[in-house]
Amino acid sequence: MKKYNIPVEAALEVIGGKWKVVILCHLIKGKKRTSELKRLMPGITQKMLTQQLRELEEDNVILREVYNQVPPKVEYSLTDYGWSLKQILDLLCHWGEQHIEKTFDNPEDMVVQINEE
Amino acid sequence: MKKYNIPVEAALEVIGGKWKVVILCHLIKGKKRTSELKRLMPGITQKMLTQQLRELEEDNVILREVYNQVPPKVEYSLTDYGWSLKQILDLLCHWGEQHIEKTFDNPEDMVVQINEE
DNA sequence: CGGAATCCCCCAAGATACTG
DNA sequence: CAGTATCTTGGGGGATTCCG
């Protein structure tokens, strides 16, 4: 059985993956298709995206809904348990924004705008 | 200049390291010597500890105080900027505790107790 | 005691191609 | 469109040694 030296390690095991917090931050905005997530995260590969999504699903943080149709359609959303992370995710996003403003002269240049619509 | 696709990536760049959140959670409890941190984190190597501490220091999140004496003594503590992460760290710790309770039958078995005194 | 410097291994993660 | 399979690589990170 896995042992933790400090309880926070249990949280990191769930959301500590390289892309997991980013994925969850996007899903806070609402249900997303695989291709939407890929577009929102230009740096991620198909393989990593699938892998991280699977792990989040196994930890009961996100829900995967498959529509049996051609072409395939899969949607991801937060579960109730996933929503229990909302405050943490919001604070992280906010802290990130502040950090950008604090650190750089032209913070608006730091964020690549992606049209969500 | 580094670009982010979403501001939260800036936060992850600061506290996203493998051990950084754990280190910061310990420092919330107060100033710590290097050897204390090592004892609190049995899994970390000297190299990783130093490396993660340096990066946190560079990001102005922690303060490194060197006492010029033999044997050497170095203490680490949160800076004011580091304290701006307190709420996030507290929530993460709390979520970790809840997650352990939710997931396992005997949660108390999951945490290796370490005498802080 | 704290940490810098080496050596080195392994696997996380990228690239590519393929499938239903 | 979503996901799998295979191959490859770089650098994250472990172990060890040396230093003030």
Side-chain angles (χ1 to χ4, degrees):
Chain A
M1 188 192 253
K2 185 81 167 66
K3 297 278 185 178
Y4 302 110
N5 295 296
I6 188 175
V8 74
E9 291 178 359
L12 296 177
E13 198 151 288
V14 176
I15 62 167
K18 186 176 182 181
W19 300 91
K20 288 179 183 174
V21 166
V22 176
I23 291 171
L24 295 174
C25 283
H26 284 306
L27 292 184
I28 275 187
K29 310 279 183 59
K31 196 175 288 191
K32 291 276 184 295
R33 293 187 59 168
T34 310
S35 54
E36 290 180 285
L37 288 173
K38 222 182 304 186
R39 188 171 49 81
L40 292 168
M41 297 181 283
I44 200 171
T45 60
Q46 168 74 53
K47 179 181 156 187
M48 282 308 298
L49 179 59
T50 303
Q51 181 180 310
Q52 301 280 297
L53 287 168
R54 286 292 181 285
E55 292 178 11
L56 288 170
E57 191 189 0
E58 281 168 24
D59 285 323
N60 193 35
V61 169
I62 67 172
L63 177 69
R64 178 170 182 262
E65 290 174 288
V66 183
Y67 297 77
N68 279 318
Q69 62 185 46
V70 178
K73 176 178 173 181
V74 179
E75 286 183 332
Y76 295 92
S77 55
L78 295 182
T79 61
D80 286 346
Y81 194 49
W83 280 109
S84 73
L85 289 164
K86 177 170 176 12
Q87 195 183 358
I88 292 174
L89 297 170
D90 283 345
L91 285 170
L92 276 173
C93 290
H94 182 250
W95 196 90
E97 290 168 9
Q98 299 297 311
H99 182 66
I100 290 173
E101 287 181 21
K102 175 181 184 297
T103 310
F104 305 95
D105 286 340
N106 297 305
E108 67 276 7
D109 293 339
M110 298 294 297
V111 179
V112 179
Q113 295 300 333
I114 296 179
N115 183 0
E116 295 232 11
E117 302 312 316
Chain B
M1 188 193 254
K2 184 82 170 66
K3 296 278 187 179
Y4 302 109
N5 295 297
I6 188 176
V8 74
E9 291 178 359
L12 295 177
E13 200 153 286
V14 176
I15 62 167
K18 187 177 181 181
W19 300 92
K20 288 180 183 174
V21 166
V22 175
I23 291 171
L24 294 175
C25 282
H26 285 305
L27 292 184
I28 274 188
K29 310 281 182 56
K31 197 175 287 193
K32 293 273 185 298
R33 295 186 58 167
T34 310
S35 52
E36 291 181 284
L37 287 173
K38 223 182 300 185
R39 188 171 49 80
L40 292 168
M41 299 182 282
I44 200 171
T45 60
Q46 167 74 53
K47 180 180 158 185
M48 283 309 298
L49 179 58
T50 303
Q51 182 181 309
Q52 302 280 295
L53 287 168
R54 286 292 179 285
E55 292 178 11
L56 289 170
E57 191 189 1
E58 281 170 24
D59 285 324
N60 194 33
V61 169
I62 66 172
L63 177 68
R64 179 169 183 262
E65 289 173 287
V66 183
Y67 296 77
N68 279 319
Q69 62 184 46
V70 179
K73 176 177 172 181
V74 179
E75 286 184 330
Y76 295 93
S77 56
L78 296 182
T79 61
D80 286 346
Y81 194 50
W83 280 109
S84 72
L85 288 163
K86 177 172 177 6
Q87 195 183 359
I88 292 173
L89 297 170
D90 284 345
L91 284 170
L92 276 173
C93 289
H94 182 251
W95 196 90
E97 289 167 9
Q98 299 296 311
H99 182 66
I100 290 173
E101 287 182 22
K102 175 180 185 296
T103 310
F104 304 96
D105 287 340
N106 298 304
E108 67 276 8
D109 293 340
M110 298 295 297
V111 180
V112 179
Q113 296 300 333
I114 295 180
N115 183 1
E116 295 233 10
E117 302 312 315

